[in-house]
Amino acid sequence: MEPVCLVEPVPSSGALRVNPAALGLLRGLTRPLHVFAVFGPCGTGKSFLMDRLAGQGEGFPRSPGIWVWCLPHPTQPDQALVLLDTEGFTEQEGDETKLSRLFVLDVLLSSVFVYNTRSEGDPQRQLDRLTYVRDLPRVVRVLDEFSWENSFLLSSVLPDFVWCLRDVAPDPCLDEVLEATDHELDSALSSPQDSEDSPSSCVQRLFPCRKLFHFCSPRADGGHGKPPAPTDQLHPMFQEQMGHFKDYALSRSPKTMVGNRVVDGAFLADFLERVVDLLSRDEPVLLNELCSDLQQEGSVYSVGYPMDPIGGAPLRRAAVSTAQPSVPEPKMERVVPLQVSRPALPVLAKVAPGTAQPGAMEEPMCLIENSPDGELQLNQRALALLQSVSQPVVVVAIAGLYRTGKSYLLNRLAGKDRGGFSLGATVQSHTKGIWMWCLPHPRRAGHTLVLLDTEGLGDVEKGDAKNDVWIFTLAVLLSGTLVYNSLGTIDQRALEQLHYVTELTEHIKVKVAGEGGRQKGEDSAEFVHFFPAFVWAVRDFTLQLELDGREITEDEYLENALKRRQGQPEKLDLPKKYLRQYFPSRKCFVFDRPAPRCDLARLDELPEAALSPDFLEPAQRFCSHIHQHAGTKTLPGGHVVTGTLLGNLAVTYVIAIRSGAVPCMESAVLALAQIENSAAVGEAVAVYEEQLEWRAALPTESVQELLEVHAQCEREALRAFMARAFKDDEQQYQQQLKDKLDSKRAELCHRNEEASSDRCKAVLMELSQELEERVREGSYSVPGGYQRFLADQREMVEKYQRVPWKGIMAAEVLQEFLKSKETVAQAVLQTDQSLTDRQREIEAERARAEAAEREAQLSQEMQAKTEQLLQDQTRSHQEHVQQLTAKMEQDRKQLLAEQERALALKLQEQERLLRKGFRGEAARLEQQMQNLRQEMNRPRRSVCVVC
């Protein structure tokens, strides 16, 4: 989409109104949102900055109000990027009410708020121009009550504050270490002459997460007031600085509201409407109440858990006694979930906003093609699209002689009367390579139907029979259901044309050969485990389905054609033999000609009524059978194949073919397992971090509370890993995950201690101010001053003890604080003239005893903390073993079911052979079944305990 106006000023009134069309665009965004808003003086390049963030040369129109641009996130494909460009303000007095409201909207809607200015004179002056920040605590509150602590409650829900200082004189040292700029920002915010109500002080108080970026002039000639230069003419240093800014901005967390819940576009749109209405009536925006109302009215959060009645876990600490001091609570650092970047998705289907799924295609694309030198190669655009499909796939491939109507049959299967796979109307083969069409499965929610249309076999113009064999082999390896399409009848000639089946043993290996090598029979006997279901579609069929004077079914017709004939040379019987052996699951459909010969050239243009009923009826049954019975593509062992896995399989097989090797199923599966298991570790860590972001509110009151949060997050991470990982027989990747989660726990404990320590120190700093002031004034340097000092210190400690949610470091920080005051206490004690030397000695001994008691108590707490951590390690170990055991049992059941199906099919084939008198082949099949039974009865492998 192009940028559209989201909020526009009403002429001559100063009020704001929301554009319904822009709201509709927002409501179509069902994914988590990254919202970036820019605000600042006119003529500072705000729109240009947003255009660069969008990766565009020019997009925003630089018009009044707030303009919105919705884009796919460039690094997080499951999230959306929303850019807000706001009109600039001038030095002259203007409509301050309108600008203040625009500022409030930018802050409330964004996850990153960008203040953009030029570097002209003193930077402090540029920051002081942000006078609208002073109105923020008055206009926006988290809770209606306890308004005295609104500022630090508000700071916990406001976005990151990024100051972009433009047109700074180029200096190579500026951007060597970006962190150095943060010190400069803090210096600008801490000017001693600032009042408490100055913009600098307000920014420092309200935005705990702050960042400063310097930018030189974007033009290499340093010109001001000129149009922005094209990308290739931008100053190299500006491009480098812009790269740093984009990396930082795009790595931030999605937009959240009260309770730290991630929101989608529908919630943000409803939220915006309500805020504009409140601002227009000059009513305060009560965030907790507003979010709760929207949730009850149906504007639910896209991700997260029900809100706490007073605004979610992080805000439960707001309900403190008014007798307690207002202590700013450190804002918990947001956890950025790991995401696996995926390629851009071409040719997406045109569906309703918010319903598009990755991989849905408007039209087919070539997946595997012939390079100019005749080698097979993958189309990278199609491969990227296929690998973006995270759903399980049902893969149906069609193969057969050229000019037999394969593409038309697949179009019927896709439910498309027009368009779809291209049809040819001449004697030349039309489809080249293997074409792919990904569609939502019509009967299985959460599944993608992948149709593969293969190049026609036997084209006399190709002159390369080897290409046909590899096309057929790839169709077998990639599909879960293989449709073989032929014309006329299933006779000896039709079977001879299916000679590709007899050559599969030369082009597919099941397992890697051992020291003594493997016999062809050993490999081919296992084809049944992973070969697709076989459907023979006989086109232009004109015979009656009768045999020996009785009507037969289509399946009986196929089985009769595949019967071995006594006395027939074995060479002529090979296609029948291998079809029965490799494809024990078989089905047949016969079709009359769809239309008169004169209409076949425009078959895709004919309406349904013009088609032959004798074609439509079997075509409907064929489509119904495929939609209902074509199974999800699986790997040996029952692991479900997603589009990502299918794309990786295609890469593995094509690489093997191009190198002259024979594709090996075992090698391919092991290679896929390594890729998937590595991805499963990353996904599990991302799930842990997402869960932690929703659940954790630091600091916690106890180690046990923190460990319970970690345990819940770890449990969900393990489930995600187990759902995706496979063939991790040595638990190598599960051990990697455990190491990462152990590291996350240690990091979480450290962050919890830091958050607790920061909060406790802030509380003590505020509570001790009066005591320290009295010490400086000499209030205790009088007779009886020591007792008064002790009383005031005890009162301070009691107030400290009553402040809630200080966390696990409360006692340790207090002990360190009191230790730091021992010198002061000793000085007061020595100057108290009302005490005798003996009394001073007693008081000093008492102080030492109290300090020793506190140390002993701290030691006990540390020991208890260590024991809790050890217990959590045991719990973690048991959790890993428990989920691993369940995973192994599930895999065993899947494998056993797969082996039982294979055994049943072999048994049926053996019975057919015995009935026809082929005892030699029946005996060989019996040996295969015996080997399979032995494999099924092998004792279960014990769980390899994760350390």
Side-chain angles (χ1 to χ4, degrees), residues 38 45 66 204 216 266 295 359 371 395 420 445-446 509 579 590 817 909 945:
V38 66
I66 299 177
Q204 188 173 28
C216 68
Q295 187 180 24
S371 64
V395 190
K509 287 195 302 181
L579 272 175
V590 298
F817 176 83
E909 184 64 24
V945 178

Side-chain angles (χ1 to χ4, degrees), residues 64-331:
I66 299 177
W67 286 67
V68 62
W69 198 355
C70 302
L71 301 158
H73 196 288
T75 62
Q76 314 284 359
D78 57 344
Q79 299 173 15
L81 182 65
V82 177
L83 304 179
L84 302 178
D85 186 23
T86 312
E87 69 174 278
F89 56 87
T90 62
E91 292 281 356
Q92 293 78 24
E93 293 185 3
D95 191 343
E96 295 300 305
T97 300
K98 178 193 71 172
L99 290 169
S100 178
R101 290 173 177 175
L102 292 177
F103 171 80
V104 168
L105 288 174
D106 277 348
V107 169
L108 292 182
L109 294 176
S110 64
S111 52
V112 176
F113 173 83
V114 179
Y115 180 52
N116 189 79
T117 69
R118 276 218 170 98
S119 177
E120 298 174 348
D122 183 10
Q124 178 73 35
R125 178 178 174 274
Q126 298 299 326
L127 191 59
D128 285 342
R129 296 178 69 182
L130 192 63
T131 56
Y132 314 97
V133 72
R134 295 186 296 203
D135 296 331
L136 201 56
R138 177 185 59 81
V139 177
V140 182
R141 306 173 194 165
V142 178
L143 302 173
D144 194 15
E145 58 270 24
F146 305 123
S147 58
W148 54 272
E149 58 180 8
N150 182 56
S151 290
F152 80 84
L153 282 178
L154 187 59
S155 70
S156 68
V157 297
L158 292 186
D160 297 353
F161 182 94
V162 177
W163 185 8
C164 289
L165 202 55
R166 308 289 292 277
D167 297 340
V168 178
D171 181 356
C173 299
L174 272 180
D175 291 304
E176 289 181 359
V177 182
L178 284 178
E179 286 74 14
T181 63
D182 296 334
H183 176 71
E184 185 176 342
L185 174 58
D186 289 338
S187 298
L189 294 173
S190 304
S191 179
Q193 65 267 23
D194 284 344
S195 66
E196 185 177 349
D197 194 41
S198 69
S200 299
S201 299
C202 291
V203 169
Q204 188 173 28
R205 185 170 67 252
L206 294 173
F207 296 90
C209 188
R210 302 179 295 271
K211 194 77 174 174
L212 174 65
F213 286 91
H214 291 101
F215 293 87
C216 68
S217 172
R219 298 185 62 91
D221 57 8
H224 296 297
K226 299 180 181 179
T231 300
D232 57 352
Q233 298 179 20
L234 293 177
H235 196 292
M237 184 171 292
F238 176 86
Q239 295 190 53
E240 181 182 354
Q241 293 161 345
M242 176 56 68
H244 292 321
F245 170 72
K246 289 181 68 173
D247 289 344
Y248 172 86
L250 297 177
S251 70
R252 309 311 291 165
S253 296
K255 172 64 181 173
T256 59
M257 286 293 182
V258 173
N260 215 23
R261 268 56 169 187
V262 180
V263 299
D264 61 7
F267 182 93
L268 201 67
D270 293 342
F271 178 81
L272 170 60
E273 279 192 302
R274 293 287 293 272
V275 172
V276 169
D277 178 61
L278 290 170
L279 293 177
S280 66
R281 292 187 278 118
D282 286 325
E283 293 184 12
V285 179
L286 305 179
L287 290 178
N288 184 65
E289 179 180 324
L290 177 54
C291 291
S292 297
D293 289 347
L294 289 175
Q295 187 180 24
Q296 293 171 6
E297 293 169 5
S299 296
V300 295
Y301 291 90
S302 63
V303 184
Y305 298 90
M307 288 180 59
D308 186 278
I310 63 167
L315 295 183
R316 73 183 191 275
R317 295 162 192 168
V320 296
S321 169
T322 55
Q324 301 304 326
S326 170
V327 181
E329 180 177 9
K331 186 176 181 182

